[in-house]
PDB file of all heavy atoms in Angstrom:
ATOM      1  N   SER A  10      -3.902 -41.270 -19.512  1.00  0.00           N
ATOM      2  CA  SER A  10      -3.812 -42.597 -20.200  1.00  0.00           C
ATOM      3  C   SER A  10      -2.741 -43.413 -19.531  1.00  0.00           C
ATOM      4  O   SER A  10      -1.679 -42.864 -19.268  1.00  0.00           O
ATOM      5  CB  SER A  10      -3.516 -42.346 -21.673  1.00  0.00           C
ATOM      6  OG  SER A  10      -3.434 -43.596 -22.350  1.00  0.00           O
ATOM      7  N   HIS A  37     -15.553 -42.888 -22.113  1.00  0.00           N
ATOM      8  CA  HIS A  37     -15.410 -41.754 -22.999  1.00  0.00           C
ATOM      9  C   HIS A  37     -14.265 -42.091 -24.007  1.00  0.00           C
ATOM     10  O   HIS A  37     -13.165 -42.433 -23.609  1.00  0.00           O
ATOM     11  CB  HIS A  37     -14.975 -40.504 -22.144  1.00  0.00           C
ATOM     12  CG  HIS A  37     -14.881 -39.299 -22.910  1.00  0.00           C
ATOM     13  ND1 HIS A  37     -13.860 -38.419 -22.785  1.00  0.00           N
ATOM     14  CD2 HIS A  37     -15.729 -38.761 -23.834  1.00  0.00           C
ATOM     15  CE1 HIS A  37     -14.009 -37.352 -23.584  1.00  0.00           C
ATOM     16  NE2 HIS A  37     -15.131 -37.621 -24.316  1.00  0.00           N
ATOM     17  N   CYS A  38     -14.573 -41.908 -25.302  1.00  0.00           N
ATOM     18  CA  CYS A  38     -13.662 -42.253 -26.375  1.00  0.00           C
ATOM     19  C   CYS A  38     -13.447 -41.011 -27.172  1.00  0.00           C
ATOM     20  O   CYS A  38     -14.079 -40.885 -28.328  1.00  0.00           O
ATOM     21  CB  CYS A  38     -14.180 -43.403 -27.229  1.00  0.00           C
ATOM     22  SG  CYS A  38     -14.481 -44.924 -26.287  1.00  0.00           S
ATOM     23  N   PRO A  39     -12.654 -40.063 -26.813  1.00  0.00           N
ATOM     24  CA  PRO A  39     -12.545 -38.753 -27.534  1.00  0.00           C
ATOM     25  C   PRO A  39     -11.982 -38.917 -28.937  1.00  0.00           C
ATOM     26  O   PRO A  39     -12.103 -38.134 -29.764  1.00  0.00           O
ATOM     27  CB  PRO A  39     -11.660 -37.908 -26.677  1.00  0.00           C
ATOM     28  CG  PRO A  39     -10.931 -38.893 -25.815  1.00  0.00           C
ATOM     29  CD  PRO A  39     -11.816 -40.071 -25.602  1.00  0.00           C
ATOM     30  N   HIS A  40     -11.256 -40.037 -29.165  1.00  0.00           N
ATOM     31  CA  HIS A  40     -10.632 -40.267 -30.494  1.00  0.00           C
ATOM     32  C   HIS A  40     -11.377 -41.331 -31.343  1.00  0.00           C
ATOM     33  O   HIS A  40     -10.866 -41.787 -32.266  1.00  0.00           O
ATOM     34  CB  HIS A  40      -9.178 -40.682 -30.274  1.00  0.00           C
ATOM     35  CG  HIS A  40      -8.432 -39.703 -29.407  1.00  0.00           C
ATOM     36  ND1 HIS A  40      -8.142 -38.425 -29.853  1.00  0.00           N
ATOM     37  CD2 HIS A  40      -7.880 -39.811 -28.213  1.00  0.00           C
ATOM     38  CE1 HIS A  40      -7.503 -37.791 -28.935  1.00  0.00           C
ATOM     39  NE2 HIS A  40      -7.357 -38.646 -27.875  1.00  0.00           N
ATOM     40  N   GLY A  41     -12.577 -41.606 -30.909  1.00  0.00           N
ATOM     41  CA  GLY A  41     -13.384 -42.634 -31.702  1.00  0.00           C
ATOM     42  C   GLY A  41     -13.193 -43.988 -31.189  1.00  0.00           C
ATOM     43  O   GLY A  41     -12.458 -44.240 -30.233  1.00  0.00           O
ATOM     44  N   PHE A  42     -13.916 -44.993 -31.753  1.00  0.00           N
ATOM     45  CA  PHE A  42     -13.843 -46.342 -31.351  1.00  0.00           C
ATOM     46  C   PHE A  42     -14.253 -47.293 -32.444  1.00  0.00           C
ATOM     47  O   PHE A  42     -14.848 -46.825 -33.452  1.00  0.00           O
ATOM     48  CB  PHE A  42     -14.736 -46.584 -30.066  1.00  0.00           C
ATOM     49  CG  PHE A  42     -16.195 -46.419 -30.367  1.00  0.00           C
ATOM     50  CD1 PHE A  42     -17.009 -47.433 -30.785  1.00  0.00           C
ATOM     51  CD2 PHE A  42     -16.766 -45.165 -30.216  1.00  0.00           C
ATOM     52  CE1 PHE A  42     -18.315 -47.246 -31.092  1.00  0.00           C
ATOM     53  CE2 PHE A  42     -18.109 -44.917 -30.468  1.00  0.00           C
ATOM     54  CZ  PHE A  42     -18.898 -45.933 -30.892  1.00  0.00           C
ATOM     55  N   SER A  43     -14.035 -48.581 -32.270  1.00  0.00           N
ATOM     56  CA  SER A  43     -14.461 -49.584 -33.222  1.00  0.00           C
ATOM     57  C   SER A  43     -14.929 -50.787 -32.395  1.00  0.00           C
ATOM     58  O   SER A  43     -14.263 -51.184 -31.503  1.00  0.00           O
ATOM     59  CB  SER A  43     -13.339 -49.978 -34.194  1.00  0.00           C
ATOM     60  OG  SER A  43     -13.725 -51.001 -35.000  1.00  0.00           O
TER      61      SER A  43
END
Side-chain angles (χ1 to χ4, degrees):
S10 178
H37 185 226
C38 302
H40 305 294
F42 64 91
S43 176

